[in-house]
Amino acid sequence: MRIDIVTIFPEFFSVLDVSLLGKARESGLIGLGIHDLRDFTHDRHRTVDDTPYGGGAGMVMKPEPWGEALDSILVPESVVIFPSPAGEPFTQATAQELSTEPHLIFGCGRYEGIDERVVDYTATRARVRCMSMGDYVLNGGEVAAMAMIEAIGRLIPGVIGNPQSLLEESHSDGLLEYPSYTKPAEWRGLEVPPVLLSGNHGAIAAWRREQQLERTRRIRPDLLD
Ligand SMILES: Nc1cc(-c2ccc3cc[nH]c3c2)n[nH]1
């Protein structure tokens, strides 16, 4: 997979050079390109925003720099993702779906957002997804893009050492994950559930499934609808 990111804060994504995704890049599993939107401006002040038509507070990102930036990286197979509080919910299912794509482009907005014509025009040349990370408002798309890149990247075969662990996490099967324990067997008067020390794998699997269902009912009943 190749991932390209367009942003006015390219340094924000330098963290992708380390940890899990850093290794995936070194091994060639993920190609990464980070593009400064201001490199696609032509005025002395490298202007990327202007006042909104129709009035209102704040500034809107100009379409021209976005058009040139996306022209420089877009191919018909691309999926262009615009983080947005007005987008469709990004879920584990979305991450799974996008992890099979050959090319993702993340368009990180700032200010009050990007001129809508950028979304409309880009949709004539590639698939466009406006995606929300949740019902709260960030100052820009970079944090959302970072979260999506991590959620997607870790699902790419070969990125995670033990793919079995992907099968047992929250949301991988539509339920919250079961509680986990490790040594010591007793800690500050708290003991590990005895079934986990029994060696009875059938009983352990049944207990874990029940824990998933109980947790999901208690914490996220909406997942059971
Ligand atoms: N889930 C979520 C996305 C955002 C978001 C995404 C892009 C921009 C650009 C300017 N403000 C933004 C906010 N907030 N919350």
Side-chain angles (χ1 to χ4, degrees):
M1 177 186 286
R2 177 163 178 86
I3 296 175
D4 284 289
I5 303 165
V6 180
T7 173
I8 60 171
F9 295 121
E11 68 280 5
F12 182 90
F13 294 95
S14 54
V15 71
L16 288 177
D17 288 330
V18 298
S19 79
L20 168 79
L21 294 182
K23 291 187 179 63
R25 290 181 61 197
E26 284 162 24
S27 61
L29 283 171
I30 298 175
L32 184 67
I34 300 170
H35 310 271
D36 186 342
L37 182 67
R38 294 191 193 279
D39 291 345
F40 298 90
T41 62
H42 305 290
D43 63 302
R44 194 155 62 94
H45 298 293
R46 294 163 57 91
T47 308
V48 294
D49 64 314
D50 205 334
T51 53
Y53 276 121
M59 302 290 273
V60 175
M61 299 191 97
K62 295 168 58 62
E64 301 98 323
W66 277 103
E68 291 189 28
L70 292 172
D71 283 350
S72 72
I73 50 181
L74 194 82
V75 293
E77 299 73 33
S78 306
V79 178
V80 185
I81 299 160
F82 293 105
S84 167
E88 62 180 289
F90 180 86
T91 66
Q92 189 65 18
T94 319
Q96 191 65 52
E97 174 195 341
L98 293 174
S99 70
T100 63
E101 291 289 344
H103 186 215
L104 302 180
I105 297 174
F106 287 87
C108 300
R110 278 275 155 173
Y111 307 103
E112 298 307 310
I114 304 169
D115 186 300
E116 192 67 18
R117 289 170 292 182
V118 173
V119 174
D120 296 342
Y121 176 79
T122 305
T124 68
R125 301 182 60 204
R127 288 165 293 165
V128 169
R129 305 283 290 271
C130 294
M131 307 229 69
S132 168
M133 297 306 287
D135 294 337
Y136 48 84
V137 183
L138 301 166
N139 285 333
E142 286 79 7
V143 167
M146 184 73 83
M148 285 188 262
I149 289 166
E150 177 156 322
I152 294 163
R154 65 195 297 276
L155 297 177
I156 294 170
V159 171
I160 286 267
N162 173 14
Q164 178 66 26
S165 62
L166 294 176
L167 300 176
E168 299 178 347
E169 356 179 82
S170 283
H171 305 291
S172 61
D173 58 1
L175 299 174
L176 299 186
E177 62 196 18
Y178 51 76
S180 297
Y181 301 83
T182 188
K183 302 181 191 62
E186 187 272 337
W187 175 71
R188 294 189 179 183
L190 299 172
E191 296 190 355
V192 170
V195 67
L196 298 180
L197 309 178
S198 69
N200 180 337
H201 298 295
I204 291 168
W207 180 86
R208 284 175 166 173
R209 181 68 178 178
E210 180 47 38
Q211 288 293 310
Q212 280 188 276
L213 289 166
E214 186 280 328
R215 271 188 159 189
T216 307
R217 278 194 292 268
R218 173 164 47 88
I219 299 167
R220 288 292 307 274
D222 58 295
L223 294 178
L224 298 173
D225 290 345

